[in-house]
Amino acid sequence: MGSTPLLTEGGRPGATMGPGTDAAPRHPALVSGAPAPETPPETPPYRSIFAHAPLAMAVISPRGTVVSANETLGTLLGVTPEGLVGRAAADLVDLAADGRTWSAYREVLAGDRSRLRCTRRLRRPDGQALWAQVTVAPLDGDAPGLLLSVADISARRELQARLRHLQLHDPVTLLPNRALFFEQLTAALDPEADAYGGTGRVGLCYLDLDGFKAVNDTLGHRVGDRLLTAVAERLTRCAEEAWQSRAGAPLVARLGGDEFALLVRDSTGTDQLADLAESVLDALQEPFDLSDRRLSVTASVGVVERRVTGTTPTALMQAADTTLYWAKADGRARWTLFDPERNAHRMTRQALAATLRPAIERGEFALEYQPLVGMADGRLRGVEALVRWNHPQFGVLTPNRFIALAEEDGAIVPLGRWVLRTACLQARRWQLDHPGEPPIFVSVNVAVRQVWDSDLVADVARTLEETGLAPELLQLELTESALMGSAGRPIQALRALSGMGVHIAIDDFGTGYSNLAYLSRLPVSVLKLDGSFVRGFQYDSRGGGREAESSPADEVIVEAMVQLAHRLGLSVTAECVETSDQAARLRRIGCDTGQGWLYSRPVAPGRISDLLAQAAVGKP
């Protein structure tokens, strides 16, 4: 047996000569030449303190071999202290497991680094594993050796693991929570994942329960939590069954509330995700038996599948959230696959909504005017003002692209004021530029929200006063559906406007509720027949007047509406007049004015000036 290693009084490490001191280290790079016997240490006064200290320690030589070890280290590693002497310290605590730690250790041995501290998972000879914090630092004073200390932190690591598990798992369903889900999602989108033989794709099923809030509100949160737990169990079972023959089942997580996600790493395509979504819906269709009650729920699922390259967690979740919204909007209890074209339309809609108000201030809107022509003599009677948005990114946009957005967020009020003022100014300018011609009226579309959210009567009065336009040369158009059911403020506003002399027209008449009773209550002066009726008035010019795709019912309906309007003292305008045959039949029925491409498309103000000038020249 080798003699017991000692520490010198000055802290200089060494060992008495013996067989154990000549053992070659397992890392020959630490030893230059043949192993030389260590300098025998002197007996220190604190030898017993070192030997029995509760902290596992060893003195190692500058070459990295163990000179002396205490009993605690021997017990920790399952080897007697004497059995450790002469062995390479790096082997005992696995310092060569990674290049960075091994390099730092060699720097400490060479005196180029003051300390090394690292965490290692060690395995005793009996197979038991432990976590250890390893520290290597020079001995105090001028002693040439180093002190190796090893602290068993297994209990601390276990506590940390338990705390981390609590932090990363939902306490109700015990599923991974939002934090762990995003941690795993980020790892799944690591571009280097392709290097490990994966598909380079990722899939996500993002779902929530339809009507879960009603369960919480009516039955209480305890029942709601039990339902969430039961849903989590079915989702987990569904994921495991779907991946029985493959490794790496989808990660099932609860993201909060009644929202769940199934993350598929290395997905094989949309078919795989579609099958998973179908199985999820099937699994949740079966009623849930919760003690004394049975509940049935459905789910809506948004499905996204794409390549890892170029995808970020934020982008993937935005796509999933959008797709889940589509699934709910399409009727719930279904899954919907992400559609780039549908998303592009949504993004365009959002972009337009975000820039509407600033666009008004920047002067990006303009008006075009479509003539309204007398059916009897073909003379220009008025124009309808149609707003256009000269968008810097999307080009010229017609009203159907942005008016609904403006109504939703209230931008229709400032936009409507601008349209009203601009149209009235232009109508007054035509009147002044062509004093010999009967002045033409201008018709401006008004949204019902303009009546509710602004003082439309005051706006109109102020505009007429500032522009000098006579009230009877202004016509305001409201749709039939907007007027139906109107009461209170809208009715009062329309009556006040009519009392000022402004004409009120019902646009798209015949396509709304078709309740004629309101014609006697509203101060309406003009009906504009919807183009769907006019399109039925077709003649085949090749057949000498023979009807082609003609609708006799349309003609009967239009004739009845014209007669009714005239009996009520209203004039009638036919929209979408495109052919002379249509115009002839509408003239015979008794329509007062026509509007459509037969006469003119919407044009710039200068073109209306030209038409007025031509009318003046054509006078007898």
Side-chain angles (χ1 to χ4, degrees), residues 356-542:
L356 248 174
R357 290 178 183 270
I360 301 172
E361 301 172 1
R362 290 193 297 264
E364 294 178 5
F365 289 92
L367 293 184
E368 291 183 343
Y369 300 88
Q370 188 169 29
L372 294 159
V373 176
M375 299 292 290
D377 56 12
R379 294 185 64 85
L380 181 63
R381 303 296 187 197
V383 293
E384 180 181 356
L386 299 169
V387 65
R388 304 288 187 258
W389 184 356
N390 297 313
H391 197 282
Q393 180 180 356
F394 303 114
V396 179
L397 303 179
T398 53
N400 63 318
R401 294 290 303 277
F402 58 85
I403 288 298
L405 295 175
E407 291 180 354
E408 287 176 10
D409 74 350
I412 192 65
V413 173
L415 179 59
R417 289 195 183 106
W418 178 87
V419 171
L420 177 66
R421 178 176 176 78
T422 303
C424 289
L425 276 172
Q426 184 59 63
R428 179 59 174 161
R429 188 172 299 118
W430 285 321
Q431 184 181 10
L432 295 176
D433 291 345
H434 304 278
E437 283 294 298
I440 62 174
F441 68 88
V442 63
S443 188
V444 176
N445 290 278
V446 175
V448 70
R449 185 162 182 175
Q450 289 177 256
V451 185
W452 282 106
D453 292 2
S454 67
D455 192 342
L456 182 62
V457 177
D459 289 344
V460 170
R462 181 171 55 253
T463 300
L464 293 176
E465 181 180 359
E466 292 175 353
T467 61
L469 186 69
E472 60 269 16
L473 295 180
L474 175 63
Q475 177 174 287
L476 300 180
E477 295 187 21
L478 290 90
T479 62
E480 180 183 356
S481 56
L483 288 171
M484 271 303 301
S486 296
R489 184 173 180 177
I491 291 290
Q492 296 170 5
L494 296 179
R495 286 175 177 164
L497 291 167
S498 179
M500 292 166 50
V502 175
H503 296 288
I504 306 298
I506 299 179
D507 195 14
D508 299 330
F509 183 77
T511 61
Y513 296 89
S514 299
N515 184 346
L516 301 180
Y518 68 89
L519 290 179
S520 62
R521 294 188 290 107
L522 296 177
V524 177
S525 55
V526 179
L527 298 184
K528 295 190 71 176
L529 298 181
D530 185 71
S532 61
F533 294 106
V534 178
R535 278 189 288 269
F537 286 34
Q538 297 290 340
Y539 275 97
D540 185 354
S541 59
R542 298 167 300 174

Side-chain angles (χ1 to χ4, degrees), residues 173 175 207 209 225-243 249-253 260-262 276-291 293-299:
T173 64
L175 290 177
L207 66 110
L209 304 180
D225 287 350
R226 290 166 61 191
L227 176 60
L228 291 174
T229 301
V231 168
E233 292 173 354
R234 290 195 187 180
L235 292 178
T236 301
R237 185 167 62 250
C238 179
E240 292 173 348
E241 291 175 353
W243 261 253
L251 172 73
V252 182
F260 296 84
L262 289 85
L276 178 60
E278 286 281 5
S279 64
V280 165
L281 294 179
D282 291 343
L284 297 181
Q285 278 184 352
E286 293 296 323
F288 291 86
D289 291 314
L290 306 177
S291 298
R293 66 182 74 250
R294 168 172 282 203
L295 296 177
S296 295
V297 297
T298 59

Side-chain angles (χ1 to χ4, degrees), residues 517-587:
Y518 68 89
L519 290 179
S520 62
R521 294 188 290 107
L522 296 177
V524 177
S525 55
V526 179
L527 298 184
K528 295 190 71 176
L529 298 181
D530 185 71
S532 61
F533 294 106
V534 178
R535 278 189 288 269
F537 286 34
Q538 297 290 340
Y539 275 97
D540 185 354
S541 59
R542 298 167 300 174
R546 180 172 53 85
E547 296 182 3
E549 300 181 2
S550 176
S551 173
D554 280 344
E555 184 167 352
V556 172
I557 293 172
V558 171
E559 186 173 5
M561 288 192 291
V562 170
Q563 291 177 1
L564 174 64
H566 287 169
R567 286 180 177 273
L568 294 174
L570 310 179
S571 64
V572 179
T573 298
E575 298 180 300
C576 300
V577 182
E578 298 178 355
T579 68
S580 57
D581 292 330
Q582 288 174 323
R585 296 178 70 185
L586 290 167
R587 188 182 306 115

Side-chain angles (χ1 to χ4, degrees), residues 63-247:
R63 294 180 301 171
T65 58
V66 175
V67 175
S68 178
N70 66 0
E71 293 182 4
T72 307
L73 181 62
T75 302
L76 187 69
L77 300 179
V79 184
T80 63
E82 293 79 5
L84 297 174
V85 174
R87 296 177 60 179
D91 291 340
L92 297 178
V93 289
D94 201 23
L95 296 182
D98 66 86
R100 185 175 180 180
T101 302
W102 174 245
S103 177
Y105 174 60
R106 296 187 64 179
E107 290 176 5
V108 174
L109 292 179
D112 297 331
R113 186 185 180 105
S114 62
R115 175 187 297 265
L116 166 66
R117 176 168 291 173
C118 62
T119 301
R120 283 290 180 270
R121 183 171 174 82
L122 308 179
R123 190 168 296 278
R124 295 161 51 97
D126 60 4
Q128 182 180 356
L130 61 93
W131 284 98
Q133 185 177 76
V134 178
T135 304
V136 180
L139 291 168
D140 293 337
D142 297 329
L146 301 97
L147 181 66
L148 168 72
S149 62
V150 183
D152 185 356
I153 60 171
S154 299
R156 187 200 313 170
R157 292 278 297 203
E158 184 179 350
L159 176 60
Q160 290 175 341
R162 287 202 300 269
L163 291 176
R164 174 175 167 78
H165 186 275
L166 291 175
Q167 292 172 347
L168 298 178
H169 287 76
D170 171 49
V172 175
T173 64
L174 304 183
L175 290 177
N177 62 12
R178 191 178 192 87
L180 181 54
F181 170 79
F182 275 98
E183 183 180 294
Q184 294 294 318
L185 176 59
T186 302
L189 295 177
D190 185 349
E192 297 182 0
D194 289 346
Y196 299 97
T199 64
R201 305 189 68 86
V202 65
L204 179 64
C205 290
Y206 181 36
L207 66 110
D208 73 2
L209 304 180
D210 302 325
F212 176 74
K213 184 178 183 299
V215 175
N216 265 346
D217 292 345
T218 58
L219 302 179
H221 289 277
R222 289 187 61 184
V223 174
D225 287 350
R226 290 166 61 191
L227 176 60
L228 291 174
T229 301
V231 168
E233 292 173 354
R234 290 195 187 180
L235 292 178
T236 301
R237 185 167 62 250
C238 179
E240 292 173 348
E241 291 175 353
W243 261 253
Q244 280 183 349
S245 59
R246 289 166 285 185

Side-chain angles (χ1 to χ4, degrees), residues 303 319 322-323 326 336-345:
V303 179
T322 297
T323 313
W326 293 343
T336 301
L337 184 65
F338 181 76
D339 181 357
E341 291 186 8
R342 186 174 180 180
N343 187 60
H345 176 76

